[in-house]
Amino acid sequence: MKRLLIGFAAVIVAILILGGGALMLVDVNHFRPQIQARLSNALGREVTLGKLHVSVWSGSLDADNIRIGDDPAFGSQPFVSAQSLALGIRLWPLLVHQQLRITSLTLDNPSVRLLQNPSGRWNFASFGGTGAVPPAGQASAENSSHSLAFSVDKLHINNGSIELKRSVGGSRSYTRVQLSAEHVGSSAAFPFSIRAAMAGGGTLEVTGTLGPWSAKNAVMTPLEAHLAMHDLNLVGAGLMSSGDGVGGVLDLDTRISSTRGVLQSKGVIEARQLKLVAAGSPSPRPIRIDYQASYQLSSGTGKIDNATLGSGAARLAVSGSFDNHAKIMQLDLRISGKQLPVDDLQPLLPAFGVVLPEGSRLSGGSLGVELHARGPLDKLVISGPVTLDHSRLLGFSLGSKLGGALLLAGIKAPQDTVITHARASLKIDPSGIDADPASADIADLGSFNGKGGMAASGKLDFRMLVKLDKAITGAGQGGQGLGGLLGNSKAARMLGGVLGGTTIQGIGVRIGGTASAPTFKLDPGAVAGLIEAGVAGGKNNAASTPRAQAAPTRASNRKDVLNDLLRGMLKPKKDAAPTGQ
């Protein structure tokens, strides 16, 4: 038995030696025209190979300097170039019958050029079709087929690179591309997987099935796949322009399906450090986006339906359309939400340019929005009404910013600012934020009405009319307000009239500084009118004052009230930033 096994092994070794020797005697370059013709027929592009080498032990043919031609409409540079090509072959048909049967194809270090012309057509659309002129001597019958005439059991690409250039300019690149596919052919869908590194950082992974191949237009080839992107930098990937002060990093997990040129996708995007306007700041926590979209591959346009974005229980509804023709994607979206919990929306506010005073944050309450976002992704113009109800701005006392008026009235300013109701009609664009009109009712303080804006630099310029509550301007009734402090004296009546005017007519206030460090300053033009009202009120309340003496007294009273009793009111601190006046 032992001798039999030894003999059998010797026969096997002899066959291998003889086979290898016979293979070495075969000039494999004799098959190069045949291989080039088969590949050219299958791909619809002229394929050229360098010198062929045979590997006995791996059962493969290796070729150097691989070139796959481009669609003639896109120039003469190669569509694909590679350092080497390995073809898995069946040795027995090659040895016995000198027939070439390819089982696998492996490209090492290939470079792929994906180009788009002004009409929107891509150079890969005719790949596998009949758009290219085959080399001389090729049979034309194979080119009349509407499907791939070539199939392999296994296809591999190792360490590839892809350069993508759109007609509107700019390019994107993918490196370290790894592709594997099995049973690649024309009659049925075949499984595949792709991994690649994206420009600007991040990785891409796609797994699924592709096919049957559409040789007339490869863009129409059916696709079912799972797509995952990690650490996609919006600026680095070319989705936003650099230098515009916007950006963010995305993780995407979605299912994609393409049929008859319409790509459907449904999945989740997690946005980190998202900043949509230059006047804002990166979101402090990730923002979740659940979306469903359709995309017309031929026109480059799509729709977004049933999408939501936000954090926690606060979810904004998003719907609309997008256009990918321009260098930067164009959006036309509606963003809406009612009674959204403010606490869960905190991470989203900075991304839209909402900056709060330093050391403060909103707590409690609800937010309502009806916004329209239009324009390129990196220069969106967002407009519409926003409301805020029953919320508290912790760590910021608006009352203390009003200075001496509250202290003089004997009222201690609350440590926080309690917002009963606020409303603004906003316009957010790259230059900053405009609020016209804007209003707010502040508990234990009064109402604010006016308009203004914040520049992209963060500088504020608001002009507001402030009407203080009667609790502050109380005019001597029952010990309330300033009147209660001074009693029923002439000064009390006069000052009650002055501050009482703030309840009826209001005080002009200019808000400057920055969003993180706002300053408040009295509007001198408004003060004169209020002093007139205050003196008139004091005179009317003192019947014994002769009418003839009213004029000189008025001037004196105005000066006294302005310089003595309202000293410090709405006055910025010495180290406050200039207001621009």
Side-chain angles (χ1 to χ4, degrees):
M1 183 67 180
K2 183 177 181 180
R3 290 181 179 180
L4 180 61
L5 292 176
I6 293 175
F8 182 75
V11 172
I12 296 298
V13 171
I15 292 175
L16 290 175
I17 293 175
L18 291 174
L23 187 59
M24 296 299 293
L25 296 176
V26 176
D27 183 10
V28 292
N29 283 282
H30 172 75
F31 297 98
R32 183 168 58 181
Q34 181 183 351
I35 297 173
Q36 290 181 158
R38 289 189 63 183
L39 292 176
S40 298
N41 280 337
L43 303 180
R45 306 288 174 88
E46 183 176 357
V47 177
T48 59
L49 306 176
K51 188 175 181 180
L52 297 179
H53 311 276
V54 64
S55 174
V56 178
W57 300 112
S58 62
S60 65
L61 294 178
D62 298 332
D64 300 326
N65 301 320
I66 316 304
R67 298 289 184 273
I68 300 176
D70 207 343
D71 186 324
F74 290 84
S76 59
Q77 294 188 32
F79 175 62
V80 178
S81 59
Q83 293 181 1
S84 65
L85 169 68
L87 294 173
I89 59 174
R90 297 188 184 276
L91 291 178
W92 187 258
L94 182 63
L95 290 172
V96 177
H97 305 289
Q98 292 194 353
Q99 294 178 351
L100 179 66
R101 297 184 182 179
I102 300 174
T103 59
S104 66
L105 188 153
T106 301
L107 280 171
D108 289 322
N109 303 306
S111 297
V112 182
R113 297 169 65 247
L114 302 181
L115 307 177
Q116 185 185 41
N117 64 19
S119 66
R121 183 175 176 84
W122 288 93
N123 63 339
F124 64 82
S126 60
F127 193 73
T130 59
V133 178
Q138 260 186 247
S140 60
E142 291 185 22
N143 283 315
S144 64
S145 173
H146 296 302
S147 60
L148 286 171
F150 174 76
S151 63
V152 294
D153 292 335
K154 294 182 180 180
L155 171 66
H156 296 283
I157 290 179
N158 296 324
N159 196 31
S161 63
I162 300 174
E163 183 182 13
L164 184 149
K165 289 187 177 181
R166 301 177 59 204
S167 60
V168 293
S171 63
R172 301 172 190 171
S173 61
Y174 302 85
T175 59
R176 301 197 300 273
V177 177
Q178 300 290 130
L179 180 146
S180 64
E182 296 181 354
H183 310 298
V184 179
S186 59
S187 60
F190 56 87
F192 75 97
S193 66
I194 299 176
R195 297 194 309 272
M198 296 179 290
T203 59
L204 173 149
E205 297 181 17
V206 186
T207 58
T209 59
L210 182 68
W213 191 266
S214 176
K216 289 185 177 181
N217 186 353
V219 175
M220 305 296 288
T221 300
L223 169 70
E224 294 286 342
H226 172 252
L227 168 64
M229 293 184 181
H230 301 284
D231 301 322
L232 171 65
N233 188 295
L234 290 172
V235 174
L239 298 175
M240 287 183 166
S241 298
S242 60
D244 289 329
V246 294
V249 179
L250 305 183
D251 289 335
L252 180 145
D253 190 290
T254 184
R255 298 293 306 184
I256 56 176
S257 174
S258 179
T259 305
R260 298 180 180 178
V262 179
L263 182 68
Q264 304 280 352
S265 63
K266 182 179 181 180
V268 177
I269 300 174
E270 185 179 88
R272 306 190 307 277
Q273 299 176 328
L274 185 64
K275 184 181 178 184
L276 295 176
V277 295
S281 59
S283 57
R285 295 204 306 268
I287 297 170
R288 179 185 171 102
I289 303 170
D290 294 270
Y291 80 98
Q292 183 173 339
S294 62
Y295 182 63
Q296 296 282 344
L297 296 173
S298 58
S299 66
T301 60
K303 293 183 178 181
I304 298 175
D305 298 306
N306 303 320
T308 63
L309 67 92
S311 178
R315 310 293 294 170
L316 293 168
V318 182
S319 62
S321 62
F322 60 93
D323 190 331
N324 204 31
H325 275 114
K327 183 176 181 180
I328 302 297
M329 182 182 294
Q330 305 279 323
L331 301 178
D332 189 349
L333 304 176
R334 296 286 180 177
I335 305 171
S336 61
K338 296 181 179 179
Q339 297 182 343
L340 304 173
V342 169
D343 292 336
D344 289 333
L345 276 177
Q346 293 276 355
L348 190 61
L349 299 180
F352 283 88
V354 179
V355 181
L356 302 177
E358 186 176 1
S360 68
R361 66 180 181 88
L362 289 170
S363 177
S366 62
L367 188 75
V369 299
E370 288 291 338
L371 300 176
H372 188 191
R374 301 184 67 182
L377 181 61
D378 57 344
K379 295 180 181 179
L380 282 175
V381 177
I382 305 171
S383 59
V386 176
T387 59
L388 178 64
D389 291 286
H390 307 295
S391 186
R392 182 183 296 268
L393 185 58
L394 301 177
F396 182 81
S397 175
L398 182 57
S400 67
K401 294 294 181 179
L402 300 181
L406 295 182
L407 295 177
L408 188 63
I411 296 177
K412 183 178 180 181
Q415 183 178 359
D416 304 319
T417 299
V418 179
I419 303 169
T420 305
H421 176 74
R423 179 182 176 87
S425 182
L426 299 180
K427 180 182 178 182
I428 306 171
D429 60 27
S431 65
I433 301 175
D434 287 327
D436 184 10
S439 63
D441 295 325
I442 309 300
D444 301 323
L445 187 58
S447 65
F448 288 65
N449 292 274
K451 63 180 181 179
M454 181 181 74
S457 62
K459 186 177 180 180
L460 298 178
D461 187 8
F462 276 83
R463 289 173 172 82
M464 307 295 291
L465 186 66
V466 180
K467 294 184 178 182
L468 300 178
D469 284 346
K470 290 184 179 181
I472 296 176
T473 62
Q477 299 298 323
Q480 297 178 353
L482 181 62
L485 182 66
L486 298 180
N488 194 25
S489 63
K490 178 180 178 180
R493 291 193 299 272
M494 181 186 69
L495 294 175
V498 171
L499 292 182
T502 67
T503 299
I504 301 172
Q505 300 182 23
I507 299 175
V509 176
R510 185 167 184 179
I511 305 175
T514 63
S516 59
T519 61
F520 296 76
K521 189 175 183 179
L522 203 64
D523 186 333
V527 171
L530 291 172
I531 297 301
E532 289 279 352
V535 172
K539 183 182 68 174
N540 292 335
N541 289 331
S544 60
T545 303
R547 184 178 182 86
Q549 298 177 358
T553 303
R554 184 178 299 130
S556 175
N557 287 340
R558 180 185 300 132
K559 181 178 179 180
D560 290 341
V561 171
L562 181 60
N563 293 335
D564 297 333
L565 297 178
L566 296 183
R567 181 175 297 156
M569 181 179 181
L570 308 181
K571 185 177 181 181
K573 298 179 180 179
K574 292 182 180 181
D575 58 350
T579 61
Q581 282 189 317

